Amino acid sequence: KQEVTQIPAALSVPEGENLVLNCSFTDSAIYNLQWFRQDPGKGLTSLLLIQSSQREQTSGRLNASLDKSSGRSTLYIAASQPGDSATYLCAVLTGGSYIPTFGRGTSLIVHP
Amino acid sequence: NAGVTQTPKFQVLKTGQSMTLQCAQDMNHEYMSWYRQDPGMGLRLIHYSVGAGITDQGEVPNGYNVSRSTTEDFPLRLLSAAPSQTSVYFCASRERGGVADTQYFGPGTRLTVL
């Protein structure tokens, strides 16, 4: 059974810092990995999706990397802003599964 | 496109009452799923569907029922509400099983059972 872990569970940083969020998974036979953002009281919004054949994806200040062999993905946020404050979740779709497995998320606060 | 819509946004029930949470998507997605989100527990899969007429159980199906008569709609029924079902419920959809298929979420339904 796929297990997805996100470390740290919470993070507080000053504005302007570059930061890295981690996602690890136990079964490397994945189809894709997706990073989501969730604002308080809201639904999940997709940020980036990395297919199993890809090493990274970029969108603006966000860069997500994937290393299947080590069972890890990182979400890099450059020049963090208070508007980046949210919970970030990763979801792994494993081969043979219909529905992704989610980590519990990293709660990020960026203070001015 | 409206994407994934959920109704109601908020609901308060008394123990033992039944109700249906509605979910609809207008993207012609084959896969739909229901999750509940509780503090410290993350997202937990309740039921899912891979097409009209096909449903299956997820991690926490007890006390919930689903059906999928059309591609667009995937309602979640609470048979006899219990305080343990107090949670935020999210519906999600995905085109199908492709490696590039993004999962989309609805805005959620916040349910309180007294």
Side-chain angles (χ1 to χ4, degrees):
Chain A
K1 177 187 170 187
Q2 180 74 270
E3 293 183 3
V4 180
T5 304
Q6 291 188 247
I7 293 174
L11 187 60
S12 180
V13 300
E15 181 177 6
E17 275 203 8
N18 301 324
L19 50 98
V20 174
L21 308 182
N22 296 294
C23 172
S24 62
F25 46 93
T26 54
D27 185 348
S28 61
I30 69 171
Y31 278 157
N32 62 42
L33 185 147
Q34 195 167 356
W35 282 94
F36 291 88
R37 169 186 172 136
Q38 185 177 27
D39 293 292
K42 304 291 186 183
L44 280 71
T45 301
S46 178
L47 296 173
L48 291 164
L49 182 146
I50 311 176
Q51 299 177 39
S52 60
S53 59
Q54 298 173 327
R55 296 283 301 201
E56 65 178 328
Q57 284 285 341
T58 298
S59 176
R61 293 182 295 108
L62 305 179
N63 176 277
S65 66
L66 175 64
D67 184 344
K68 281 197 309 179
S69 61
S70 65
R72 288 189 300 181
S73 175
T74 60
L75 179 67
Y76 176 83
I77 303 176
S80 57
Q81 303 170 356
D84 294 329
S85 299
T87 296
Y88 292 81
L89 298 99
C90 73
V92 177
L93 182 62
T94 309
S97 298
Y98 295 111
I99 305 295
T101 302
F102 279 82
R104 294 192 178 185
T106 293
S107 177
L108 172 66
I109 296 175
V110 181
H111 49 88
Chain B
N1 285 354
V4 181
T5 58
Q6 292 183 238
T7 56
K9 284 188 168 54
F10 302 94
Q11 183 70 49
V12 178
L13 293 177
K14 294 181 180 177
T15 296
Q17 287 184 316
S18 62
M19 79 158 295
T20 299
L21 307 186
Q22 301 291 346
C23 173
Q25 51 89 12
D26 61 358
M27 298 174 281
N28 201 32
H29 285 176
E30 291 291 327
Y31 290 13
M32 296 185 74
S33 50
W34 276 102
Y35 296 87
R36 59 179 288 174
Q37 187 176 43
D38 304 287
M41 300 295 291
L43 280 166
R44 291 185 290 172
L45 182 66
I46 305 171
H47 285 286
Y48 66 96
S49 169
V50 297
I54 307 170
T55 63
D56 205 347
Q57 296 181 351
E59 182 184 354
V60 288
N62 292 343
Y64 306 95
N65 213 346
V66 291
S67 61
R68 184 103 178 266
S69 56
T70 67
T71 299
E72 295 77 19
D73 300 299
F74 190 42
L76 177 72
R77 281 181 286 278
L78 278 70
L79 309 173
S80 177
S84 61
Q85 293 178 305
T86 294
S87 187
V88 181
Y89 291 84
F90 289 102
C91 179
S93 75
R94 191 158 62 92
E95 185 170 0
R96 55 180 60 86
V99 295
D101 291 345
T102 296
Q103 192 167 21
Y104 296 88
F105 279 79
T109 293
R110 190 173 295 271
L111 176 68
T112 301
V113 183
L114 303 175

